[in-house]
Amino acid sequence: MTRWAGVSELSLMLETGGPGAEIYANGRNQVAVTVSFRPTDENGATYHGDISWPNRVHLVDHVSGEKLNWRGREGWCFTDREDRYFHHVPGGGGPAAAEPAGDAVDGTQRFTFYVSCWPGADRKPVSARVETDTGEVCTTTAGSGSFEGKVTLDPLVALVHRRSGVGWDCSRTATRYENDTKYVTTEAWNYYLSLDSADNCFVTFSVSGCWSDPGYEGFFACDIEPGSRRRNLYGSYVWYREPHAGSYDGDGGYGGLIVNFPDGNKWWDYARVYDRPHPEQYLCFTWVRATTGEDGWHIPNGPVDTWRVHSSPVITAWDRYGNTGRFCVDGSGAERGIELADHA
């Protein structure tokens, strides 16, 4: 039975094909590096058997030969797992055509790794190293002949997005029953959190500090004014579920359940949310003003057991390179709309 004993060719390259790339030092931004080699058996013929990776295929420091950290959380790291959000090279136009591939017609094996780095990492020249079944070690650190290839990765200081650099605007949105004003008049405005950049965008969000109960998902603030027999209700919602377009695309786009007061008032409505292009790039909030007649709004209803109830959600937003921003909204001001601030 033949064994993998050597290689006749060994090289590595970036997915972009260039000699180097920049990468944000945040532990999430990834650069794809493909190692290619033609394995041979004890007789020098092409070997077509299975090759274990990453046990036998590594990325190493071009100067010292030290292996990069496998799935580590400090310094320079590499993995076989592509992060679907942050696998982009800044200024490189996004992922190119590098893909993990098995045994080619000529026997060449190709394996793609995804490199990241953490804060404090220095510039890193990277080479490839393979270890055969017989213990033979082959590297591209020589940089000549059939064993060649080096890429240089330059860390960039991770960005921290602040309130001053994000988009935050609002516009009137429709509700399904807004024309039914016999018992309730409902008005709603959507607020949109996005990244104010021509060449970057937010790609995913995490929200904490809002209700997630069925019928009250995203609800975080309610103020029922004591005057006028408590007929005026102000409410705030954040539509946190992802993917945004699929989660809230209800009948006619009315996917946001609002003003859900089934006890006593027997009323609920649906707002049109994620109503702008590229919903995956922004987080949508809805602010509601609803006025009822008769005896005003009834409590308790769902999580509303006092005339004023609120929380203050915290939002973490990640851009396409894995940089983050943390923001908050103060639910105590529900009667004034929704205001965004930096989270301390």
Side-chain angles (χ1 to χ4, degrees):
M1 182 177 179
T2 61
R3 292 193 299 169
W4 176 30
V7 296
S8 60
E9 295 180 3
L10 174 62
S11 64
L12 85 164
M13 64 178 293
L14 290 169
E15 62 178 349
T16 56
E22 294 179 329
I23 179 171
Y24 283 104
N26 55 32
R28 289 175 291 270
N29 193 193
Q30 293 180 329
V31 172
V33 179
T34 298
V35 178
S36 301
F37 58 93
R38 186 178 299 177
T40 58
D41 61 20
E42 297 95 326
N43 300 316
T46 300
Y47 175 78
H48 292 279
D50 293 334
I51 292 177
S52 174
W53 74 299
N55 296 334
R56 300 295 179 82
V57 187
H58 311 294
L59 297 180
V60 299
D61 185 293
H62 182 74
V63 176
S64 68
E66 182 180 1
K67 180 182 173 182
L68 274 61
N69 295 323
W70 175 247
R71 297 180 182 172
R73 297 187 63 84
E74 63 179 3
W76 287 94
C77 309
F78 72 118
T79 178
D80 57 342
R81 299 175 181 176
E82 177 185 7
D83 191 302
R84 68 189 183 96
Y85 291 119
F86 315 127
H87 173 204
H88 298 277
V89 180
E99 295 290 345
D103 198 354
V105 175
D106 64 355
T108 299
Q109 298 270 352
R110 297 183 180 89
F111 300 105
T112 297
F113 294 106
Y114 301 94
V115 182
S116 60
C117 70
W118 293 84
D122 295 322
R123 191 182 201 202
K124 178 68 66 174
V126 178
S127 294
R129 168 178 168 158
V130 297
E131 301 174 15
T132 72
D133 292 340
T134 60
E136 182 75 15
V137 175
C138 306
T139 72
T140 61
T141 55
S144 62
S146 297
F147 291 36
E148 60 182 359
K150 178 190 76 170
V151 297
T152 302
L153 303 178
D154 289 296
L156 301 173
V157 176
L159 301 177
V160 177
H161 298 294
R162 309 291 292 176
R163 171 66 180 87
S164 58
V166 301
W168 179 253
D169 61 302
C170 71
S171 62
R172 181 73 179 269
T173 190
T175 70
R176 182 182 294 178
Y177 304 129
E178 66 180 15
N179 294 323
D180 180 5
T181 59
K182 182 176 180 180
Y183 299 108
V184 177
T185 299
T186 305
E187 300 173 298
W189 287 260
N190 281 344
Y191 289 72
Y192 309 89
L193 170 60
S194 61
L195 185 55
D196 188 12
S197 173
D199 56 2
N200 197 358
C201 61
F202 287 138
V203 295
T204 186
F205 302 84
S206 175
V207 179
S208 62
C210 62
W211 278 277
S212 59
D213 310 62
Y216 301 93
E217 286 189 301
F219 177 53
F220 66 89
C222 178
D223 182 8
I224 301 175
E225 289 185 337
S228 301
R229 298 184 179 180
R230 301 194 183 276
R231 292 176 178 175
N232 295 314
L233 177 153
Y234 300 93
S236 300
Y237 300 78
V238 54
W239 309 112
Y240 62 86
R241 284 189 288 127
E242 296 196 14
H244 294 162
S247 300
Y248 301 102
D249 189 14
D251 181 20
Y254 295 108
L257 178 56
I258 57 174
V259 198
N260 187 12
F261 274 63
D263 298 329
N265 298 101
K266 298 181 180 180
W267 182 261
W268 52 90
D269 203 346
Y270 297 84
R272 182 172 288 162
V273 298
Y274 290 106
D275 51 345
R276 291 184 175 181
H278 307 294
E280 72 281 357
Q281 296 181 9
Y282 63 88
L283 185 66
C284 185
F285 300 71
T286 299
W287 180 68
V288 182
R289 180 173 62 201
T291 303
T292 187
E294 301 299 327
D295 298 326
W297 294 100
H298 291 229
I299 60 170
N301 259 283
V304 180
D305 55 9
T306 63
W307 301 113
R308 289 174 61 92
V309 59
H310 71 274
S311 62
S312 296
V314 174
I315 301 99
T316 303
W318 289 267
D319 71 15
R320 63 187 301 188
Y321 307 127
N323 299 306
T324 60
R326 284 174 61 82
F327 312 98
C328 61
V329 290
D330 183 1
S332 66
E335 75 282 0
R336 300 187 301 272
I338 304 176
E339 298 181 2
L340 183 76
D342 290 316
H343 181 65

